[in-house]
Amino acid sequence: MPQNFWRGIRRYLVCDGYDGYHKLKTAARCGCLAHVRRKFVDALPTDKELLSTSAAAKGVESCNRLFQLEREFAALTPEARNMERHAKSKPLLHEFFAWLDNITVSGGSKLARAVSYARSEKKYPCRFLESTDVPIDNNRAENAVRPFVIGRKNWLFSASV
């Protein structure tokens, strides 16, 4: 259970959309924009001619612009980064979620799942605006555990540690 593992966390927890994190009462759950973006990447059409008019491509591009801004803000002081996030990133986030509210998708398509995920996670990816301590994604944590996740398959029948 996340509440047992994360006992004592008192500020922010940047994570994916796993429902178990909602049980944490001592930390504010922050979402990962990379997870939102990944859902739209998965929904991209395979036909290159459809990319320019694809709603999935628009979702990816919106996320890419936010990531680009974060790269530009990386060298700034926390105070300056906070001001830039509110001046530039916040309007882009509002535009992205307003677009999501107006897009019509149906069925169980990958695009419908991407839109549904982004809508349901809306308040969590926006939490990076609350504090400069909160990153826009949890990629650093995921990259740290990746060797173990990949290795799990490779080590399954290994006879040694």
Side-chain angles (χ1 to χ4, degrees):
M1 291 303 240
Q3 65 265 31
N4 295 335
F5 185 78
W6 294 107
R7 187 176 318 133
I9 298 294
R10 299 268 183 243
R11 293 218 33 179
Y12 296 100
L13 177 65
V14 183
C15 55
D16 60 13
Y18 171 60
D19 283 336
Y21 294 121
H22 293 292
K23 295 177 182 170
L24 295 173
K25 302 298 181 208
T26 60
R29 184 174 157 301
C30 306
C32 173
L33 198 66
H35 282 89
V36 172
R37 181 186 181 279
R38 192 173 306 132
K39 300 281 186 189
F40 283 100
V41 168
D42 291 344
L44 287 171
T46 54
D47 186 347
K48 302 283 187 209
E49 292 179 11
L50 298 176
L51 275 178
S52 63
T53 59
S54 166
K58 181 171 174 49
V60 171
E61 179 56 32
S62 295
C63 294
N64 286 348
R65 290 188 307 185
L66 287 161
F67 281 113
Q68 178 59 40
L69 287 175
E70 281 299 297
R71 284 190 291 277
E72 292 173 14
F73 305 157
L76 299 176
T77 65
E79 295 81 18
R81 186 177 324 120
N82 187 46
M83 287 178 27
E84 290 296 314
R85 279 179 169 181
H86 282 272
K88 296 179 180 174
S89 298
K90 189 175 181 177
L92 285 178
L93 271 172
H94 287 303
E95 179 184 315
F96 174 65
F97 285 109
W99 169 73
L100 284 174
D101 288 340
N102 291 317
I103 189 172
T104 304
V105 290
S106 61
S109 69
K110 289 182 179 181
L111 179 61
R113 287 193 296 270
V115 170
S116 175
Y117 180 81
R119 284 176 180 163
S120 68
E121 291 292 301
K122 180 179 181 176
K123 73 178 183 179
Y124 305 113
C126 294
R127 285 244 166 92
F128 80 100
L129 296 170
E130 293 177 14
S131 171
T132 56
D133 292 336
V134 178
I136 196 169
D137 59 44
N138 69 343
N139 286 345
R140 288 181 68 190
E142 291 206 359
N143 288 338
V145 299
R146 183 168 285 117
F148 302 102
V149 174
I150 300 296
R152 194 171 41 207
K153 289 181 183 177
N154 296 335
W155 306 325
L156 184 61
F157 298 108
S158 178
S160 68
V161 177

